[in-house]
Amino acid sequence: MYRHVRQKWLTYSAPHVSHIARLKSYETIRSDVNFLCEDTAGGLHLDDEKWVYNATTMQNNPWERAQKQLETAAAHVAISPELLKRLQTPDNVIEVSMPIVMDDGRTETFQGYRVQHNNIRGPYKGGLRYHPNVDMDEVKALAFWMTMKNAVIGVPFGGGKGGIRVDPKKLSQAELERLTRAFTRELAPHIGPHKDVPAPDVNTNSTIMNWIRTEYAQIVGEDTPAVITGKAIEHGGSLGRTEATGLGGFYALDEYLSKTGQDKNKTAAIQG
């Protein structure tokens, strides 16, 4: 197994992060539209012509764009060089290599990532995505944006993000479970209710979260429901969680149209 972990320990005042995040949300709203689209993770796939458009390589690097957004916001506020430097660099970067025995007896190796960007405001919080285009720069950017989004809405969490470079549609249910449990074993020392709380994201769901929960329980010796969010209702999940992202997007768009005085009789194309 290959594992790389980079750690950095610094502390700063939480309100500064919230202030930077709020300013960012207003000053760079046009740039934010790009990352909201990118949060669906894959670019446009034209399978019938075997062409794949990759937003990361064809347009710009998401981590570089996140850094630029931070620089733009920081130019408008009084922020110490130390705090700015911390926000420019994730606290922890975890990369793991996982050999998995497939149903036909072959062994395939998968790359997994978890970036813990910042925990000034509380435990790292953010989803895990399974997608063939997942890479470290994407995960670092998404972890940064989670720090900012949690600060904007005022919840006591920092920002984290993770994923595995895999096409889950090509795996059987048993292979997917073995991969998820292997990933959990690698992440177990770095996650927990007061440390880092993963959640569903692209191509992950409550079933995968339950595999993480039960595998983590075997490792730590007790059931720890709060190690993840996005649980099924029967396993202690929250009502409304499944539709929360889409519904929240609708509310944000509705409020934007109201504030800008635009006609709400519009059509939209949704990808992802």
Side-chain angles (χ1 to χ4, degrees), residues 140-208:
K140 285 165 67 176
L142 292 167
F144 166 80
W145 287 320
M146 281 302 302
T147 296
M148 296 300 161
K149 288 191 284 185
N150 284 333
V152 166
I153 62 175
V155 294
F157 289 103
K161 208 75 172 186
I164 301 175
R165 188 185 302 161
V166 60
D167 185 350
K169 298 183 177 76
K170 295 182 178 179
L171 271 59
S172 70
Q173 187 83 342
E175 290 169 337
L176 193 60
E177 181 174 356
R178 288 196 292 273
L179 177 59
T180 298
R181 291 184 180 277
F183 193 34
T184 304
R185 290 191 292 273
E186 296 295 327
L187 291 185
H190 310 286
I191 63 175
H194 304 291
K195 188 182 298 183
D196 183 0
V197 184
D201 199 89
V202 175
N203 291 327
T204 54
N205 54 30
S206 60
T207 297
I208 290 174

Side-chain angles (χ1 to χ4, degrees), residues 233 238-251:
I233 300 300
S238 300
L239 290 169
R241 198 274 168 205
T242 301
E243 62 271 27
T245 304
L247 191 59
F250 168 79
Y251 286 145

Side-chain angles (χ1 to χ4, degrees), residues 40-55 131-133 167 271:
T40 60
L44 179 63
H45 295 260
L46 305 175
D47 293 333
D48 55 335
E49 298 181 18
K50 304 302 181 184
W51 285 93
V52 177
Y53 173 76
N54 188 305
H131 195 277
N133 288 345
D167 185 350
Q271 176 198 345

